[in-house]
Amino acid sequence: MTGDLFADSPPDWREPLAPGAVVLRGYALAAAPVLLATIAAVQRQAPARRMETPGGYTMSVATSSCGALGWVTDRSGYRYSAIDPDSGTPWPPLPATILDLGIAAAREAGYPGFAPDACLINQYEPGARMGLHQDRNERDFTAPIVSISLGLPATFLFGGPRRADPARRLPLAHGDVVVWGGPSRLFFHGIAPLRPGLHPATGALRYNITLRRAG
Ligand code: MD6
Ligand code: FE
């Protein structure tokens, strides 16, 4: 077929956020059912649990991981670990469904060659939140962070290089993917307290899958 006036234009996911940072709206929508089944499989092996912060608080977000390295926190600090502290065994392998989508999203955002080795799976109930923080436990900051939102909508807080920088409030819906790296790799970010609701795919929960190069 030639000269189809009505041919689809390339999908326009991209919504610039900051230098080096972009929201890919709906990028994970088609894969969402498979991703949710994958999360359930990972959580059967490494159940979501509310970890303790170095300051002695219990996180409102329940976390689990897959891949060579998992993000953990306890009284001694935030770090990556090859062992799930609850089971004493390695984290489940990083499923290809998640890995492939994360690599493609990074490429779409201008980061070819992303090779994540850590995949954090966060589970939010209504009221759960994540305060403004930087992701700085990774070994090198040249790789971006890829963050996939599923289920209940959330408000993403995206600030700047200093804690006091004003934070934008960005709605994130089921299937949205945020990629940040380069000049914004160390920007402060967080999640506002989740508002109650019911999502057809996840019920009263939000999931976030975060891929990083940690080791
Ligand atoms: C989110 N999570 O769950 C965003 N960062 O939507 C994070 O930004 C995060 O969960 C560093 C360590 C753990 C996290
Ligand atoms: Fe973070």
Side-chain angles (χ1 to χ4, degrees):
M1 200 187 347
T2 56
D4 184 355
L5 188 59
F6 302 105
D8 284 337
S9 48
D12 197 10
W13 329 96
R14 276 188 208 78
E15 190 178 301
L17 179 56
V22 65
V23 183
L24 304 173
R25 290 286 178 203
Y27 191 77
L29 209 45
V34 170
L35 293 174
L36 287 169
T38 306
I39 288 173
V42 168
Q43 289 183 336
R44 277 193 291 275
Q45 295 173 256
R49 79 294 302 259
R50 292 173 60 194
M51 294 187 187
E52 199 176 9
T53 67
Y57 293 96
T58 300
M59 289 180 66
S60 56
V61 178
T63 69
S64 178
S65 285
C66 55
L69 293 169
W71 182 85
V72 297
T73 173
D74 58 20
R75 292 306 294 263
S76 65
Y78 303 115
R79 63 193 175 279
Y80 285 93
S81 169
I83 299 295
D84 174 349
D86 275 18
S87 68
T89 62
W91 299 99
L94 214 172
T97 47
I98 295 177
L99 184 62
D100 292 350
L101 187 92
I103 290 170
R107 182 182 301 113
E108 193 76 18
Y111 300 99
F114 183 44
D117 56 9
C119 176
L120 177 63
I121 296 175
N122 286 336
Q123 182 176 303
Y124 290 70
E125 293 182 358
R129 58 185 285 276
M130 190 161 296
L132 276 183
H133 65 276
Q134 295 170 294
D135 287 12
R136 51 182 324 143
N137 295 112
E138 299 74 29
R139 189 161 294 170
D140 90 86
F141 300 137
T142 60
I145 294 165
V146 173
S147 166
I148 304 164
S149 291
L150 295 168
L152 282 182
T155 300
F156 186 54
L157 313 169
F158 198 75
R162 288 168 300 270
R163 182 175 290 281
D165 291 332
R168 286 180 58 183
R169 296 174 64 88
L170 210 83
L172 289 182
H174 182 65
D176 289 349
V177 179
V178 186
V179 182
W180 69 102
S184 55
R185 173 62 180 76
L186 289 170
F187 278 20
F188 281 84
H189 59 278
I191 294 285
L194 196 77
R195 296 180 45 184
L198 284 176
H199 189 278
T202 64
L205 296 174
R206 170 183 189 254
Y207 295 98
N208 177 264
I209 303 174
T210 303
L211 289 158
R212 305 192 187 88
R213 178 89 195 159

